[in-house]
Amino acid sequence: MVNNKGSASGLEWRVKMSDGSMEVLVPETSFLQRAGLRWGSVLLRLLFSFQNFFKKAWELGVDDPRKFIHCLKVGLALSVVSLFYYMRPLYDGVGGNAMWAVMTVVVVFEFTVGSTLYKCINRIVGTSLAGVLAIGVHWVASKSGEKFEPVILGASVFLLAISATFSRFIPTIKARFDYGAMIFILTFSLVSVSGYRVDKLFDLAQQRLSTIAIGTALCLLVSMLIWPVWAGKDLHDLIIRNMEKLADSIDGGIAEYFTDNSNTDDQDKKDSRQKLQGYKCILNSKATEDSLANFARWEPAHGNFGFRHPWTRYLKIGAMMRNCAYCVEALGCCMNSDIKANECTKKHLSEVCMKLSSHSSMVLKELVVVTKSMTKSTVIDFLVGQMNSTVEDLQTTIKSLPTQYSPPSTGLEAHDEDKEKKDNPIISPIIVPFVDVIPLVTLSSLLIEITIRIEKIVEAVDELSTMADFRAENEKKKNQLKQNQTNPDNENEKQSDQETMKTLQMV
């Protein structure tokens, strides 16, 4: 049964179903209305996508303004090099090959000075060497007659392309001259092949080489004179940041494990966990370190970094820190294990473990000061000695842990033991299951292993300070720490550690 009912907006159709209920019939929308709704939703999604894109781009520029400055530098270099096309006197000097200068700027202008220098020098050397060889091969081929000329040119392209391509697989050449080898193949092929149909090959090679030199020179001037970004400085800062994150992860992780954080806010817990996960950045930084060290070798002396600064030492420090970070990761897995440690045993080891992590963190933070200020430390040996002394305390504490491993007892021995407990109940031992001791023993062994790897980091930084001629530090800090170490008024080792930290902060 179908009924219609009037309303303010028009007619409303209802259908009475077999079960007695009424169903309202909704009129179908037209094709244009459906298309309009669909395109409207698409436009809204596009607007939201553009909004999110520009928001992320803005955050990226605010986080590192050097990237925005680099974009301005590239635009400036391209605008200047375009004058060789716009201005008639400059265009007459280089001819139609001015486009090679524009292409050179686009290809070789990189973010850091070192990477720009790397590409500029490789491009000039590769182009020059390939151009000279191509002209020589063309001269030999032209003297061989019309029949042998294409054969000699084709064979030379084949052999030199094979040799240059194979050289790119050699690690040393791949690290420093990979781009130059690719440019060599490109230039030699273009010049030798085009020279077969071009009469003035020498003029063509000279014009292209001059335009490439103009483009590379302009890139170097803009990159080095206008807010330069040095790859060596970035590598130096990256090692410092990673060392700070490693120190925070070691100290904060142990402190969180042995302290009660039930009253801490959720936001503080989240920030603390992010800080404790900082060691993961060290595990993923190898490729960045290798790239920055390779580019830093090409850079001239700048700031506190000399002409032959030992950039490879930074790679060794980074490798030592990664070894330590792997141990920190294993330490985190141990602390988050499903096997929970006995609270009594945990409390027994908490003080010495927290003390060891604190001393380890102090050693790394002192290395941060050494690397950042490029000065030799007078207290690093003292801090390492404190760390090793705490390791011995931890080993002694581990040996004193009670375990359940004991020889199987007979019934008579059990009867005597029960009688002894009744006579003197105070001396009854506390038996801790061995399974409950395993996590703490593993954690302690990992802490000891971390201290061994920290000593290797200390050795690597010491090698860097020797090779880079770090300046000597004032002896004031060392004398103050020695006085604190031999002060008879210190009641316990905890007070001595507090005075050590105060001394380091004052200096």
Side-chain angles (χ1 to χ4, degrees), residues 186-428:
L186 175 64
T187 304
F188 183 83
S189 302
L190 289 176
V191 174
S192 60
V193 172
S194 62
Y196 184 70
R197 300 294 182 183
V198 177
D199 296 332
K200 297 181 179 180
L201 180 62
F202 182 78
D203 295 338
L204 176 64
Q206 184 181 8
Q207 287 180 353
R208 290 188 178 180
L209 183 60
S210 61
T211 52
I212 290 174
I214 291 171
T216 54
L218 182 61
C219 290
L220 291 177
L221 288 175
V222 175
S223 179
M224 296 176 66
L225 298 180
I226 302 177
W227 287 293
V229 179
W230 302 99
K233 184 66 167 56
D234 285 354
L235 177 62
H236 184 81
D237 295 339
L238 176 63
I239 293 297
I240 292 173
R241 289 196 303 270
N242 287 345
M243 208 175 293
E244 289 176 342
K245 292 176 182 178
L246 184 61
D248 293 336
S249 298
I250 295 173
D251 192 16
I254 296 297
E256 184 182 23
Y257 179 73
F258 284 104
T259 56
D260 185 14
N261 297 324
S262 58
N263 297 327
T264 309
D265 296 336
D266 293 338
Q267 184 62 32
D268 294 338
K269 289 182 179 179
K270 184 178 179 180
D271 296 339
S272 177
R273 287 175 183 173
Q274 290 179 352
K275 192 175 182 180
L276 298 180
Q277 298 296 321
Y279 70 90
K280 293 184 177 180
C281 297
I282 306 172
L283 302 178
N284 301 324
S285 64
K286 185 180 186 303
T288 305
E289 292 172 6
D290 292 339
S291 177
L292 291 175
N294 181 35
F295 294 145
R297 295 171 186 157
W298 297 88
E299 293 178 345
H302 57 278
N304 296 325
F305 309 105
F307 178 68
R308 297 184 61 84
H309 194 75
W311 299 113
T312 54
R313 296 296 97 186
Y314 288 94
L315 297 180
K316 184 176 181 180
I317 295 174
M320 294 298 103
M321 286 196 296
R322 271 187 294 278
N323 289 337
C324 189
Y326 287 127
C327 217
V328 175
E329 186 175 33
L331 185 68
C333 295
C334 178
M335 291 187 293
N336 297 324
S337 174
D338 294 335
I339 303 176
K340 301 302 179 182
N342 182 271
E343 291 298 328
C344 180
T345 311
K346 186 176 179 180
K347 186 177 180 181
H348 183 70
L349 287 174
S350 62
E351 183 178 354
V352 65
C353 287
M354 292 177 65
K355 185 178 178 181
L356 180 56
S357 66
S358 177
H359 287 320
S360 303
S361 177
M362 287 171 61
V363 172
L364 289 173
K365 290 178 180 178
E366 180 64 20
L367 294 179
V368 169
V369 175
V370 170
T371 310
K372 183 182 296 185
S373 61
M374 300 186 73
T375 57
K376 294 183 179 180
S377 175
T378 57
V379 300
I380 190 66
D381 293 335
F382 173 76
L383 295 176
V384 171
Q386 276 192 328
M387 182 178 67
N388 292 332
S389 176
T390 312
V391 168
E392 295 177 359
D393 295 341
L394 177 58
Q395 292 173 341
T396 304
T397 307
I398 292 175
K399 293 178 181 178
S400 66
L401 286 176
T403 62
Q404 199 178 12
Y405 276 98
S406 58
S409 59
T410 61
L412 182 60
E413 292 175 352
H415 182 269
D416 295 339
E417 186 178 354
D418 293 337
K419 183 178 180 181
E420 184 178 359
K421 288 181 180 180
K422 290 179 180 180
D423 296 338
N424 191 5
I426 300 177
I427 63 172
S428 60

